[in-house]
């Protein structure tokens, strides 16, 4: 665009100046978007929430409540019940009763109708759910709006479709539900994890007691309201709140048939020890340290964007985050330069602003973990680069960070950080990078960027990871199974595979 004054005038990120007949474009870093905050008034959050047991809101027998805050400004949003072992017992009894008397006897196509109804009401309340998700957990509104909420509703739609078709999923076998499922979820995808757990469980005829994570209980409680509105028979889904002790009471309850857990590897190991010697079934979806691999023949700009999405999406609070980047030596310089440029342009700040790329870290304790690892990286001798963005004065925020000159043995290349921190390593050959990528206690996901189909097939065959994305990253779909190898856990969620952990197959 031509301008009359001599001074450069910013247009977007580029400032144009007209000098004689040529137009020069120069980078202007002072440019910012006007704020575009989503309105909080479109969501209703109660001052206090009780436990959703047997289709009703029940006061906790513990008589205790705890606060949930907005991590972007540290203000209290609400308080929720802290369920004790007696509350868990009440919820499990309600689930057992609903299982025996109603749900397992109901024709599958009738069960499906309820699940379709839940999915539709979720869609109707999508905006409110997205707002609450961003307020309670700190993720950018564009993610909760465009990813979390629609994908959660899609899981209910998808599994509603399977409910009366199990004979096609498992031909020549008869299927039987397991009974009562205790489901424990983390804080990184609060509503989506609730959907991943509840939808396949009830579609296959089980009943549920679900506990949300202590920092992000609000969307699961909204889901309880939706379940009530959908008229689901009382006790089929019970939603309770509490911390680790509540989760442990669920795992140890003698009348639970199945445990479904997503969270840290440490708690996964505790759960496995607790249920050893019982006939409880379990699926565990634990940590990860995904390798994202860029070959020299890849479309570099596309790969850079994929890497950025892979690690900075949801503040890096993603078990399958591409937190280790392996770049082929010949293109390492170019890739690192482009990553740094892109890092600078990421917008960090208010999760409710529609322009925000990176929102708030979920809690003070998670921010402390991330900062501890940034310190470890520096001490290990890796070279740190952080975006120069200004962070808000209140709340828990972290600059997007990358480390170069990282060694395979460094802790930042081995351990899960669960934050916006990328470790960059280089490689020369295919064999070398496969060996390095597989040299991890985890095996949840991986990414490969290359122009060659044969390379993709070779890599996907030899990588020890539950999901390997090719020329993309962090793509999810209800029809596609997800789950880990090694210390990333076992069992699959999503797709036809996701039905199996909730069924006994008979001849
Ligand atoms: P966590 O594993 O303690 O929490 C996950 C869920 O388990 C929460 O609902 C929690 O209340 C529950 N829980 C805690 N102790 C329990 C017990 N003994 N028995 C049954 N349930 C229990 O994870 P936390 O402490 O919030 O995060 C710590 C680290 O774990 C993170 O820094 C990250 O590395 C990893 N993590 C991994 C996740 C994943 O999606 N794979 C999700 C959350 C955390
Ligand atoms: Mg919160």
């Amino acid at each position: 665009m031509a301008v009359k004054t001599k001074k450069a005038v910013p247009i977007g990120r580029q400032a144009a100046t007209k000098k004689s007949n040529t137009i020069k474009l120069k980078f202007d870093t002072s440019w910012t978007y006007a704020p575009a905050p989503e309105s909080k008034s479109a969501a209703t959050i109660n001052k206090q929430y009780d436990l959703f047991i047997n289709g009703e809101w029940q006061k906790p027998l513990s008589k205790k409540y705890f606060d949930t805050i907005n991590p972007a400004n540290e203000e209290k949003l609400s308080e929720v019940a802290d369920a004790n072992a007696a509350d868990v017992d009440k919820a499990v009894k309600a689930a057992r009763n609903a299982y025996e008397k109603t749900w397992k006897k109901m024709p599958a196509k009738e069960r499906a109708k309820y699940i379709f109804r839940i999915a539709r009401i979720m869609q109707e309340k999508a905006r409110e759910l997205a707002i609450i998700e961003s307020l309670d957990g700190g993720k950018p509104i564009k993610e909760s709006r465009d990813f979390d909420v629609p994908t959660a509703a899609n899981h209910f739609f998808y599994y509603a479709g399977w409910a009366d078709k199990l004979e096609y999923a498992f031909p020549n076998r008869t299927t039987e539900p397991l009974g009562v499922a205790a489901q424990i979820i983390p804080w990184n995808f609060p509503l989506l994890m609730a959907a991943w757990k509840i939808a396949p469980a009830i579609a296959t005829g089980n009943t549920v007691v679900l506990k949300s994570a202590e920092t992000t209980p609000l969307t699961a409680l909204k889901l309880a309201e939706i379940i009530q509105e959908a008229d689901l028979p009382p006790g089929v889904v019970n939603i309770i709140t509490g911390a680790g002790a509540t989760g442990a009471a669920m795992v140890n309850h003698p009348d639970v048939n199945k445990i479904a857990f997503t969270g840290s590897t440490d708690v996964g190991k505790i759960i496995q020890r607790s249920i050893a010697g019982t006939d409880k079934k379990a699926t565990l979806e634990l940590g990860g340290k995904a390798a994202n691999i860029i070959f020299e023949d890849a479309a570099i700009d596309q790969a850079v964007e994929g890497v950025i999405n892979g690690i900075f999406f949801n503040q890096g609070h993603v078990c399958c985050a591409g937190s280790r980047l392996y770049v082929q030596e010949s293109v390492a310089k170019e890739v690192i330069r482009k990553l740094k440029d892109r890092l600078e342009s990421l917008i960090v700040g208010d999760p409710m602003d529609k322009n925000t790329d990176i929102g708030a870290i979920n809690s003070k304790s998670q921010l402390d973990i991330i900062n501890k690892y940034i310190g470890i990286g520096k001490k290990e001798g890796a070279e740190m680069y952080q975006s120069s963005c200004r962070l808000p004065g209140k709340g828990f925020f972290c600059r997007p960070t990358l480390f170069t000159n990282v060694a395979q043995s460094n802790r930042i290349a081995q351990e899960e950080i669960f934050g916006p921190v990328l470790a960059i390593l280089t490689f020369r050959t295919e064999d070398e990078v496969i060996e390095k990528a597989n040299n991890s206690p985890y095996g949840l996901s991986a990414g490969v960027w290359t122009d060659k189909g044969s390379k993709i097939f070779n890599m996907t065959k030899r990588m020890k990871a539950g999901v390997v994305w090719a020329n993309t990253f962090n793509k999810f779909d209800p029809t596609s199974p997800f789950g880990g190898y090694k210390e990333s856990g076992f069992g699959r969620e999503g797709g036809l595979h996701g039905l199996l952990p909730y069924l006994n197959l008979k001849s």
Side-chain angles (χ1 to χ4, degrees), residues 377-449:
K378 287 197 273 192
K379 244 190 233 150
E380 283 177 324
E383 220 171 279
M384 185 186 74
Y385 182 85
Q386 283 188 319
S387 137
S388 64
C389 63
R390 248 173 290 144
L391 298 183
K394 263 188 165 181
F396 316 127
F397 289 90
C398 179
R399 288 197 170 80
T401 304
L402 53 86
F403 279 101
T404 52
N405 285 333
V406 178
Q408 179 73 24
S409 58
N410 286 170
R411 286 180 66 189
I412 54 166
Q414 289 288 328
E415 297 174 19
E416 183 174 53
I417 302 175
F418 227 64
V421 182
L422 176 66
I424 305 178
L425 301 96
T426 57
F427 70 94
R428 287 183 186 169
T429 67
E430 238 170 289
D431 285 344
E432 180 195 347
V433 75
I434 288 171
E435 180 154 346
K436 282 181 166 172
N438 284 340
N439 180 358
S440 161
Y442 296 112
L444 195 55
S445 65
V448 182
W449 299 84

Side-chain angles (χ1 to χ4, degrees), residues 20 50 61 71 73 76 78 82 130 198 240 283 331 424 457 483 500:
S20 61
D50 293 323
L61 297 169
N73 59 18
K76 176 175 168 179
S78 179
D82 188 2
I198 295 172
I240 63 173
T283 37
V331 290
I424 305 178
F457 286 124
L500 205 49

Side-chain angles (χ1 to χ4, degrees), residues 68-71 77 136-137 215-216:
T68 183
I69 64 160
N70 176 351
L77 289 166
D136 201 16
T215 56
T216 54

Side-chain angles (χ1 to χ4, degrees), residues 143-159:
E143 269 170 28
S144 32
R145 181 196 62 194
D146 299 345
F147 176 70
D148 295 63
V149 176
T151 317
N154 283 347
H155 269 268
F156 280 99
F157 276 119
Y158 175 74
Y159 281 110

Side-chain angles (χ1 to χ4, degrees), residues 184-189 193 211-215 242-251 261-268 270-271 274 285-288 317-320 365-366 369 416-418 442 444:
I184 300 166
I185 57 170
W187 41 262
N188 53 344
F189 292 93
M193 287 302 109
K211 185 190 86 65
S212 51
E214 42 274 48
T215 56
T246 314
M250 292 165 70
V251 169
F261 172 79
T262 299
S264 62
T265 298
D266 288 347
V267 174
I270 295 173
I271 292 175
S274 318
E285 202 261 271
L286 311 173
H317 296 337
V318 185
C319 45
C320 53
S365 60
Q366 189 59 32
I369 294 176
E416 183 174 53
I417 302 175
F418 227 64
Y442 296 112
L444 195 55

Side-chain angles (χ1 to χ4, degrees), residues 36-43 127-128 131-132 135 141 352 354:
E38 170 57 290
S39 163
K40 288 179 197 152
S41 60
R127 183 173 174 205
E128 184 180 20
I131 292 170
I132 297 175
L135 287 173
I141 188 75
M352 292 295 280
K354 291 165 193 157

